[in-house]
Amino acid sequence: PQGATVAKFAELLGVAPNDVIKRLFMLGQVLTLTQSMSDDLVELIADDMGRKVRVVSPEEEYAVVYHDSEADLLPRPPVVTVMGHVDHGKTSLLDAIRHTGVVESEAGGITQHIGASVVEIDGRRITFIDTPGHEAFTAMRARGAQVTDVIVLVVAADDGVMPQTIEAINHAKAADVPIVVAVNKIDKPGANPDRVRQELTEYGVIPEEWGGKNMFVEVSAKKKLHIDDLLETILLQADVLELKANPNADASGFVIEANLDKGRGPVATVLIQRGTLKTGDVVVAGTSYGRVRALVDPRGTHVADAKPADPVEILGLSSVPTAGDEFRVFADERDARKLADERQLRERLAAQDAKAHMSLDDLFSRI
Ligand code: GDP
Ligand code: MG
């Protein structure tokens, strides 16, 4: 267990390095400034100096197990991500979907970009997450987080399966997320939807009508053809999954986008996975924490709360978290601050460790 070096530990705690060495010596530990302290020693010496520090391993930290009884679980909307090769029409399709799926009174009211949107069809909701950075997705998956319930794989009918198509399929398989295929650009003269079907079989994506388990819809994002079919197909796929969550609990979920807004300060768009998030709640998101000052939905409307599968902007955080970070509501503001502080400390230690290693490697590479 490599914690901080003695020097870094002293620096982070704002104490004299010699004092740390002395205390270590009294415990029978002879360490120099550049040697690493174990996590136990870090906690012990900090405690000895009247400071409470607990080094939390990522595994321990994320091992929050939620217990929901069957009766607590209520149906929730599906969360969908659109993926596919560049230029196959992901952005166009999301645009078309947003225009098809908005309820009339709200039509045209979408101006904001928060990395997610909610559409309604036949009185049912679907949450769409804009294709996030690959790293954010990978980070979430590493924590065992299932952020998306269905992947819509966009394949241009005039281009067929391309490298990023395969990448998306692999991603879906690794995350065990069902794929609905949107064969796009069927309005184009060179469109050949059957060739797309044929090519995809090679990667295990097989249409239901051919005995496989993938639903296919032929669409044109540009001409807005069959977009409602696609939405209904997504709902059919969601029905099979019987998606449920407990809305009556402290909220938790993941950061899907975050930035520093000039006027509003740190803003994080989170996806609620469990519970209900309310203004006034204390949250930790990655290394950031704070009391929720306001919640803003994808249409830019301030809302009082957000429920499972809702994407919502949080205002009031201390700093900008990273896409892929877990967020969680805390009953006690001090606990929230402590966790955020611990994570910050660990991040700085990791960064310093990386730097130390780098310079060592540098040194060797020069010899
Ligand atoms: P992305 O890179 O996957 O987000 O693809 P875009 O949505 O940016 O689309 C790439 C190009 O394909 C743009 O010029 C779109 O206008 C065009 N495009 C997207 N969907 C369709 C479609 O259904 N039919 C036609 N003819 N062009 C489309
Ligand atoms: Mg795009």
Side-chain angles (χ1 to χ4, degrees):
Q2 265 66 248
T5 62
V6 174
K8 285 304 160 200
F9 172 80
E11 185 194 322
L12 288 167
L13 253 72
V15 297
N18 269 338
D19 205 13
V20 176
I21 288 178
K22 236 182 277 170
R23 280 166 201 264
L24 282 165
F25 183 76
M26 309 232 269
L27 289 168
Q29 301 286 326
V30 183
L31 291 183
T32 62
L33 275 179
T34 54
Q35 279 181 303
S36 291
M37 296 164 65
S38 71
D39 290 350
D40 284 346
L41 271 180
V42 165
E43 286 170 17
L44 208 65
I45 300 296
D47 190 52
D48 199 26
M49 302 181 104
R51 303 283 288 271
K52 279 271 172 254
V53 171
R54 199 166 74 85
V55 183
V56 185
S57 71
E59 297 75 31
E60 184 186 350
E61 194 188 308
Y62 288 109
V64 184
V65 182
Y66 300 116
H67 294 287
D68 293 321
S69 69
E70 215 31 62
D72 294 330
L73 298 173
L74 299 178
R76 66 163 177 85
V79 179
V80 179
T81 306
V82 177
M83 294 183 138
H85 196 70
V86 64
D87 280 347
H88 278 198
K90 297 180 292 295
T91 303
S92 308
L93 187 61
L94 275 169
D95 278 355
I97 285 169
R98 277 166 197 163
H99 283 95
T100 305
V102 287
V103 291
E104 252 174 66
S105 62
E106 287 157 336
I110 303 153
T111 47
Q112 234 183 317
H113 174 82
I114 72 162
S117 49
V118 177
V119 300
E120 240 180 77
I121 179 121
D122 306 334
R124 294 177 65 188
R125 291 154 69 92
I126 305 174
T127 297
F128 282 89
I129 301 185
D130 296 353
T131 308
H134 209 63
E135 315 81 69
F137 246 41
T138 309
M140 288 188 255
R141 216 171 61 216
R143 290 164 198 175
Q146 197 87 301
V147 186
T148 188
D149 303 305
V150 176
I151 286 174
V152 170
L153 180 65
V154 181
V155 189
D158 62 336
D159 203 23
V161 172
M162 298 300 274
Q164 285 165 277
T165 316
I166 300 165
E167 205 175 289
I169 293 169
N170 289 337
H171 175 83
K173 279 185 184 160
D176 199 21
V177 176
I179 294 174
V180 169
V181 181
V183 182
N184 191 30
K185 307 199 187 186
I186 55 160
D187 61 290
K188 284 187 99 169
N192 189 347
D194 268 334
R195 202 195 58 180
V196 172
R197 283 188 179 77
Q198 194 62 55
E199 286 177 358
L200 282 171
T201 58
E202 214 174 297
Y203 301 93
V205 178
I206 301 158
E208 279 187 329
E209 60 268 32
W210 291 5
K213 45 184 182 13
N214 295 98
M215 303 191 204
F216 277 62
V217 186
E218 295 180 10
V219 298
S220 165
K222 193 173 179 178
K223 298 262 155 79
K224 299 199 170 55
L225 295 175
H226 310 158
I227 303 300
D228 43 2
D229 280 357
L230 176 63
L231 294 177
E232 274 155 22
T233 303
I234 291 167
L235 287 175
L236 272 177
Q237 179 65 69
D239 285 341
V240 175
L241 299 172
E242 295 187 60
L243 304 165
K244 287 177 180 174
N246 177 5
N248 300 308
D250 282 342
S252 58
F254 284 87
V255 176
I256 53 179
E257 202 171 276
N259 57 58
L260 188 63
D261 187 282
K262 257 189 191 160
R264 304 185 296 167
V267 178
T269 301
V270 300
L271 176 74
I272 314 287
Q273 290 197 307
R274 178 178 183 267
T276 298
L277 182 64
K278 302 181 277 294
T279 51
D281 279 349
V282 172
V283 301
V284 173
T287 59
S288 161
Y289 82 100
R291 191 175 287 279
V292 178
R293 196 170 72 229
L295 294 171
V296 184
D297 77 5
R299 297 199 176 86
T301 310
H302 282 244
V303 291
D305 59 31
K307 297 194 184 306
D310 280 347
V312 71
E313 281 185 321
I314 296 182
L315 276 63
L317 291 173
S318 60
S319 57
V320 182
T322 308
D325 279 345
E326 181 235 24
F327 92 91
R328 213 190 298 168
V329 166
F330 277 71
D332 187 329
E333 187 157 2
R334 278 167 311 178
D335 287 347
R337 188 186 194 132
K338 202 170 139 239
L339 177 60
D341 284 351
E342 281 173 1
R343 286 178 175 175
Q344 268 173 42
L345 181 73
R346 198 173 54 226
E347 216 167 67
R348 279 156 69 188
L349 290 177
Q352 275 151 2
D353 252 19
K355 236 192 261 165
H357 278 126
M358 240 190 295
S359 44
L360 213 68
D361 287 345
D362 273 0
L363 194 71
F364 281 122
S365 66
R366 260 167 238 182
I367 292 170

